[in-house]
Amino acid sequence: MIAPPRAALFHNRIDLATAGCCALHRATFAPHARCQKTVMRACYRARGIFSRHAFVGDAVLATTRIAVVGDIHHGHDTQTKRGSMALPLLERFVAEINDGSVDAVIDLGDRISDEDPERDRLLQSDVAMCFAALTAKHHHVSGNHDVACLTLADNEAIFDLPSGSRALMAGEVRCVFWQPDVRLARTRGLHLSDGDLDGLEQLLGQDERPTLLVSDVPLSGHAQTGNYYFEANPGHAAYAEVAGIRKVIADAPCPIVALAGHVHWNTLTTVDGTPHITLQSLTETFISGEPAESFGVLEVEDNELRWTVLGREPVSVTLPWRKTKSRWRAPLPTFTALEAT
């Protein structure tokens, strides 16, 4: 038996990486995908290549797989969020991830819908117990709902894990978790606190390797047209200091792919050569009418990043995983200013 190349496809056009994602999804083709993945792995093992590797010619490429979930919103139901279904959906996510093979799990924050300090501690503890059942390492950032009635230190104590800004390795991928001020009120948009931007610049400046930049709030400043929450409230979807954040990312020595939650929809926006991805909430209903049940699987292999969102609002995209920084030409000034020169 000869191992198929990385690009080999079976009759239903599902390769090893896709089968890996399908096997995490409760769909009618999942059993076939699991079977197909098993056959392909047997081919790889025959050549001494194991489950987290792909075969290209005679080269072995390590694949890092990271599962991502966000905006769980455990708590009461609202007009658009099914908080009462958060724990069952999270438990199913944990079971499916444990049944698969990932290097790490990332939580993008807003784990609860805040009520009051006592209630929020209970809600966060419920979520923490679910995450504790994961067999893979899990990493967290906190969102505005997590710190509305609790502190960042409270969240860290409940999970017994850090939630502050930090850099770490997930498999072969360098990850930077940025935890700026995420406090938010209806009358107050998002604003950085002193030291937040300097902290981001320092973390990104430490290494030239490609970096996955993780935050609760998106850093692209992308348009919110059509968004149930933020079309009329864009200041609650992006930091007032988004121009400064953009400059820090553009000036960083490392290639970056940014990953966030908060805005409750799936998007891909590229700014200055940096792709910015957002993931739909686990329990949001404003798009599909039912809880989205969304979670993502991010795979990095050599020069390629594959991002797959499962659930009621599926997405599949392939991006370059650049080893060197891509720098776009600076945008033109206004045409009026050009005419004046």
mmCIF file of all heavy atoms in Angstrom, residues 4 47 72 104 149 215 255 259 302 328:
data_model
loop_
_atom_site.group_PDB
_atom_site.id
_atom_site.type_symbol
_atom_site.label_atom_id
_atom_site.label_comp_id
_atom_site.label_asym_id
_atom_site.label_seq_id
_atom_site.Cartn_x
_atom_site.Cartn_y
_atom_site.Cartn_z
ATOM 1 N N PRO A 4 -0.952 8.026 -0.191
ATOM 2 C CA PRO A 4 -1.348 9.024 -1.186
ATOM 3 C C PRO A 4 -0.677 10.352 -0.901
ATOM 4 O O PRO A 4 -0.344 10.646 0.240
ATOM 5 C CB PRO A 4 -2.864 9.129 -0.977
ATOM 6 C CG PRO A 4 -3.077 8.749 0.444
ATOM 7 C CD PRO A 4 -2.036 7.705 0.755
ATOM 8 N N ARG A 47 4.015 4.119 5.652
ATOM 9 C CA ARG A 47 5.236 4.817 5.270
ATOM 10 C C ARG A 47 5.903 5.495 6.468
ATOM 11 O O ARG A 47 6.780 6.331 6.313
ATOM 12 C CB ARG A 47 4.898 5.877 4.213
ATOM 13 C CG ARG A 47 4.436 5.276 2.893
ATOM 14 C CD ARG A 47 5.595 4.653 2.130
ATOM 15 N NE ARG A 47 6.592 5.643 1.776
ATOM 16 C CZ ARG A 47 6.581 6.329 0.643
ATOM 17 N NH1 ARG A 47 5.610 6.149 -0.236
ATOM 18 N NH2 ARG A 47 7.532 7.214 0.381
ATOM 19 N N ILE A 72 -19.731 31.834 24.215
ATOM 20 C CA ILE A 72 -20.576 30.721 24.675
ATOM 21 C C ILE A 72 -21.865 31.241 25.300
ATOM 22 O O ILE A 72 -22.934 30.676 25.131
ATOM 23 C CB ILE A 72 -19.781 29.853 25.677
ATOM 24 C CG1 ILE A 72 -18.572 29.235 24.959
ATOM 25 C CG2 ILE A 72 -20.653 28.796 26.314
ATOM 26 C CD1 ILE A 72 -17.486 28.728 25.894
ATOM 27 N N ALA A 104 -4.413 21.955 20.732
ATOM 28 C CA ALA A 104 -4.858 22.913 21.741
ATOM 29 C C ALA A 104 -6.284 23.343 21.432
ATOM 30 O O ALA A 104 -6.791 23.158 20.316
ATOM 31 C CB ALA A 104 -3.940 24.132 21.774
ATOM 32 N N CYS A 149 -19.014 41.965 35.895
ATOM 33 C CA CYS A 149 -19.246 41.908 37.345
ATOM 34 C C CYS A 149 -18.094 41.242 38.087
ATOM 35 O O CYS A 149 -18.065 41.260 39.329
ATOM 36 C CB CYS A 149 -20.532 41.149 37.646
ATOM 37 S SG CYS A 149 -22.016 41.865 36.898
ATOM 38 N N SER A 215 -7.545 37.551 20.313
ATOM 39 C CA SER A 215 -8.163 38.548 21.193
ATOM 40 C C SER A 215 -9.664 38.314 21.222
ATOM 41 O O SER A 215 -10.214 37.605 20.372
ATOM 42 C CB SER A 215 -7.854 39.967 20.709
ATOM 43 O OG SER A 215 -8.378 40.184 19.407
ATOM 44 N N PRO A 255 4.908 37.873 10.586
ATOM 45 C CA PRO A 255 3.626 37.728 9.876
ATOM 46 C C PRO A 255 2.543 37.340 10.876
ATOM 47 O O PRO A 255 2.796 36.573 11.814
ATOM 48 C CB PRO A 255 3.895 36.603 8.885
ATOM 49 C CG PRO A 255 5.367 36.392 8.877
ATOM 50 C CD PRO A 255 5.879 36.853 10.189
ATOM 51 N N LEU A 259 -7.242 36.422 15.154
ATOM 52 C CA LEU A 259 -8.431 35.611 15.403
ATOM 53 C C LEU A 259 -9.183 36.202 16.592
ATOM 54 O O LEU A 259 -8.584 36.467 17.633
ATOM 55 C CB LEU A 259 -8.017 34.167 15.701
ATOM 56 C CG LEU A 259 -9.099 33.171 16.107
ATOM 57 C CD1 LEU A 259 -10.095 32.962 14.968
ATOM 58 C CD2 LEU A 259 -8.468 31.839 16.514
ATOM 59 N N ASP A 302 2.965 23.692 7.017
ATOM 60 C CA ASP A 302 3.960 24.310 6.150
ATOM 61 C C ASP A 302 3.563 25.757 5.847
ATOM 62 O O ASP A 302 3.509 26.581 6.746
ATOM 63 C CB ASP A 302 4.139 23.486 4.874
ATOM 64 C CG ASP A 302 5.395 23.889 4.100
ATOM 65 O OD1 ASP A 302 6.380 24.312 4.747
ATOM 66 O OD2 ASP A 302 5.393 23.774 2.869
ATOM 67 N N TRP A 328 2.034 45.894 2.575
ATOM 68 C CA TRP A 328 1.353 46.556 1.477
ATOM 69 C C TRP A 328 1.880 47.988 1.303
ATOM 70 O O TRP A 328 2.372 48.604 2.256
ATOM 71 C CB TRP A 328 -0.149 46.633 1.757
ATOM 72 C CG TRP A 328 -0.867 45.341 1.588
ATOM 73 C CD1 TRP A 328 -0.332 44.119 1.286
ATOM 74 C CD2 TRP A 328 -2.275 45.129 1.738
ATOM 75 N NE1 TRP A 328 -1.309 43.162 1.234
ATOM 76 C CE2 TRP A 328 -2.518 43.753 1.508
ATOM 77 C CE3 TRP A 328 -3.344 45.943 2.045
ATOM 78 C CZ2 TRP A 328 -3.790 43.206 1.558
ATOM 79 C CZ3 TRP A 328 -4.619 45.411 2.107
ATOM 80 C CH2 TRP A 328 -4.839 44.050 1.859
#
